[in-house]
């Protein structure tokens, strides 16, 4: 009986443990991240072809499309919750049978395995971990940063997902067509390989396929439009208000935009100490660049403070769709003058001087007459 020294047994045991640990380390670093049913891995390190077989190659990938749900026409000054629908229209155009090693097992079993791999290849059209961020390239449309980044975990072909963004349209934005940009980044399955029984030598069990994923980034375009509509401004105000009197004030309005304002009415809003019996005046149609003048009769209280009063005015009109619209409020400045005095202070003073002078003249004349009468009386005596 041959006896092996204890030290040699320990050395052999240590070598076995070290070899096993090395195998586990290699598997954990290389093979395991690429294997299994976890399709969310972004990287793929393929096993040596001695451990996998590639039976089929699929030709297809996700096709992501985007469109707005609802009305894509916005109004100036509007804050809108934009709903964007993304759809996956990906399709597999064909499969290609590859030259696999078919001598390991009999033909019937291998054909079943190959068909199983082909079924797994059908997932190549599924988009995973979709990141989408809406962007605007114009200063007239602002995308709110809060909630701008959105993610969809998985989108199979033929399915849709809904994204929601908040945008603000500038009040002075020119009418017309615009494009928002929607960059999307996602992963998709680029290849599937069947894991062979030899992978057991690496300690890999219960894993049927090794999967390769690729990352794709593309920018989708979202068309929207800003509605053309009239915009008004006050270009001239004539006439003055007077304390305690009713005066006519003329206000001229101009349509500074591209669209006709149909059947327009001008309205002025006055408050105490001003008042009016007719606050609305019909202007009719106002075309682009056209001016119309409305005349308002406004009365000021007799004790109203003399100053310039700012009152609000607006235009009501019909748009191209015959819907009633109101313009933004416009400021109209109305100066108020003091009541005209019938006699000035200087005039009154002159009048008093004249009266006093007349009184003095009359008084002197009377005294002179009295003196003459007294003299005449003395002579007669």
């Amino acid at each position: 009986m041959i006896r092996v020294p204890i030290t040699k047994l320990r050395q052999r045991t240590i070598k076995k443990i070290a070899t096993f640990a090395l195998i586990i380390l290699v598997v954990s670093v290389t093979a395991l991240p690429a294997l299994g049913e976890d399709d969310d891995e972004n990287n793929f390190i393929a096993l040596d072809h001695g451990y996998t077989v590639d039976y089929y190659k699929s030709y297809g990938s996700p096709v992501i499309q985007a469109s707005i749900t609802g009305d894509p026409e916005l109004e100036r000054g509007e804050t809108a919750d934009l709903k964007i629908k993304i759809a996956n229209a990906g399709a597999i155009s064909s499969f290609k049978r590859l030259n696999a090693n078919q001598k390991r097992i009999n033909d019937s079993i291998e054909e079943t395995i190959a068909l199983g791999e082909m079924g797994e290849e059908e997932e190549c059209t599924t988009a995973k971990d979709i990141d989408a961020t809406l962007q605007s390239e114009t200063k007239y449309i602002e995308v709110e940063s809060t909630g701008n980044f959105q993610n969809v975990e998985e989108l199979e072909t033929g399915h849709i997902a809904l994204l929601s963004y908040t945008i603000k349209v500038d009040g002075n934005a020119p009418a017309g067509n615009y494009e928002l940009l929607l960059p999307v980044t996602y992963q998709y399955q680029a290849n599937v390989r069947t894991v062979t029984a030899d992978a057991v030598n690496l300690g890999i069990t219960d894993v049927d396929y090794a999967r390769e994923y690729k990352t794709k980034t593309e920018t989708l375009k979202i068309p929207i439009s800003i509605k053309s509509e009239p915009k008004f401004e006050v270009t001239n105000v004539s006439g003055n208000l007077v304390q305690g009197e009713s005066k006519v004030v003329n206000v001229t309005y101009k349509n500074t935009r591209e669209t006709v304002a149909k059947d327009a009415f001008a309205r002025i809003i006055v408050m105490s100490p001003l008042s009016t019996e007719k606050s609305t005046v019909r202007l009719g149609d106002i075309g682009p660049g056209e001016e119309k003048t409305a005349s308002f009769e406004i009365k000021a209280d007799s004790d109203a403070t003399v100053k310039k009063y700012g009152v609000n005015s607006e235009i009501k009109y019909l748009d191209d769709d015959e819907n009633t619209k109101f313009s933004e409020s416009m400021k109209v400045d109305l100066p108020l003058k003091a009541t005209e005095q019938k006699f000035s202070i200087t005039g009154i003073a002159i009048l008093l001087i004249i009266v006093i002078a007349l009184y003095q003249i009359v008084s002197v004349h009377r005294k002179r007459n009295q003196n003459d009468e007294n003299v005449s009386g003395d002579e007669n005596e």
Side-chain angles (χ1 to χ4, degrees):
M1 180 176 180
I2 301 175
R3 294 185 178 182
V4 181
I6 296 177
T7 56
K8 290 185 178 181
L9 289 174
R10 288 178 178 176
Q11 290 176 354
R12 290 176 182 176
T13 302
I14 292 172
K15 287 182 179 180
K16 289 181 179 180
I17 293 174
T19 302
F20 180 75
L22 180 62
I23 291 173
I24 295 298
L25 178 62
V26 171
V27 170
S28 63
V29 172
T30 60
L32 292 181
L35 301 176
E37 299 302 323
D38 185 3
D39 292 341
D40 292 333
E41 298 293 340
N42 297 332
N43 300 316
F44 173 79
I45 302 176
L47 291 172
D48 183 86
H49 285 193
Y51 301 103
T52 61
V53 178
D54 203 359
Y55 289 101
Y56 276 97
K57 169 65 177 176
S58 61
Y59 293 92
S61 63
V63 176
I64 306 299
Q65 301 172 341
S67 61
I68 291 180
T69 63
D71 190 357
E73 187 176 54
L74 306 176
E75 295 184 359
R76 295 181 178 97
E78 180 180 0
T79 298
D81 291 327
L82 206 63
K83 305 296 183 183
I84 298 179
K85 177 178 66 178
I86 59 172
N88 186 354
I92 298 176
S93 60
S94 64
F95 289 95
K96 180 181 179 181
R97 181 66 182 261
L98 304 178
N99 294 323
N101 184 357
Q102 300 184 15
K103 296 180 180 179
R104 300 171 183 243
I105 49 183
N106 64 64
D107 291 344
S108 60
I109 296 177
E110 184 148 24
E111 184 62 25
T112 300
I113 295 174
L115 291 176
E117 180 185 307
M118 186 174 71
E120 296 296 322
E121 288 278 359
E122 293 179 357
E123 293 186 17
C124 66
T125 59
T126 298
K128 296 178 177 292
D129 195 21
I130 304 172
D131 293 334
T133 305
L134 189 65
Q135 298 176 358
S136 171
E137 291 188 311
T138 173
K139 65 180 181 179
Y140 297 111
I141 301 175
E142 176 187 354
V143 181
E144 286 194 355
S145 57
T146 304
N148 188 20
F149 174 82
Q150 298 197 26
N151 176 269
V152 177
E153 184 175 347
E154 181 176 283
L155 190 62
E156 297 179 1
T157 186
H159 290 241
I160 63 173
L162 195 62
L163 308 178
S164 180
Y165 301 94
T166 300
I167 66 171
K168 294 181 179 179
V169 181
D170 188 271
N172 294 315
N177 298 321
Y178 294 81
E179 278 187 340
L180 300 177
L181 303 181
L182 186 70
V184 293
T185 300
Y186 56 90
Q187 287 78 45
Y188 67 97
Q189 180 179 279
N191 190 30
V192 176
R193 297 176 66 89
T194 300
V195 177
T196 67
D198 295 335
V200 175
N201 296 330
L202 298 178
I204 301 173
T205 59
D206 299 326
V207 176
D208 297 324
Y209 305 101
R211 304 174 189 273
E212 176 185 354
Y213 289 90
K214 288 186 177 180
T215 300
K216 185 175 182 180
T217 299
E218 57 184 319
T219 299
L220 308 177
K221 295 183 178 181
I222 311 297
I224 65 171
S225 63
I226 296 178
K227 188 176 182 179
S228 176
E229 58 185 359
K231 182 178 177 63
F232 298 94
E233 63 180 32
V234 174
T235 58
N236 187 52
V237 179
S238 62
N240 295 310
L241 302 179
V242 178
Q243 289 175 322
E245 297 183 25
S246 293
K247 293 291 184 179
V248 174
V249 176
N250 299 311
V251 182
T252 301
Y253 303 90
K254 182 178 181 179
N255 180 2
T256 62
R257 287 282 170 78
E258 316 88 351
T259 307
V260 176
K262 301 177 182 178
D263 196 22
F265 286 81
R267 185 167 79 104
I268 196 166
I269 304 168
V270 297
M271 293 181 292
S272 181
L274 307 180
S275 61
T276 181
E277 293 184 358
K278 185 178 181 182
S279 61
T280 302
V281 175
R282 189 174 186 275
L283 299 175
D285 295 347
I286 309 177
E290 187 177 0
E291 293 182 336
K292 290 288 183 74
T293 299
S295 297
F296 300 97
E297 186 173 352
I298 301 174
K299 182 179 180 180
D301 293 346
S302 58
D303 59 350
T305 303
V306 175
K307 67 174 186 176
K308 183 181 290 185
Y309 288 84
V311 301
N312 292 324
S313 180
E314 65 183 7
I315 303 273
K316 183 180 75 170
Y317 63 94
L318 298 178
D319 64 10
D320 291 338
D321 299 323
E322 302 299 322
N323 296 320
T324 299
K325 297 286 185 178
F326 291 89
S327 71
E328 296 178 353
S329 181
M330 295 167 280
K331 187 70 69 177
V332 178
D333 291 327
L334 302 176
L336 175 64
K337 291 184 176 182
T339 304
E340 295 181 2
Q341 297 178 349
K342 300 299 182 179
F343 299 98
S344 65
I345 295 176
T346 303
I348 294 174
I350 293 173
L351 182 61
L352 288 175
I353 293 172
I354 294 173
V355 170
I356 293 172
L358 291 174
Y359 175 79
Q360 292 294 335
I361 293 171
V362 171
S363 179
V364 170
H365 184 70
R366 284 180 179 177
K367 287 181 179 181
R368 184 178 294 175
N369 289 338
Q370 287 178 357
N371 291 334
D372 290 344
E373 289 177 357
N374 290 334
V375 172
S376 298
D378 292 340
E379 290 178 354
N380 292 330
E381 291 179 357

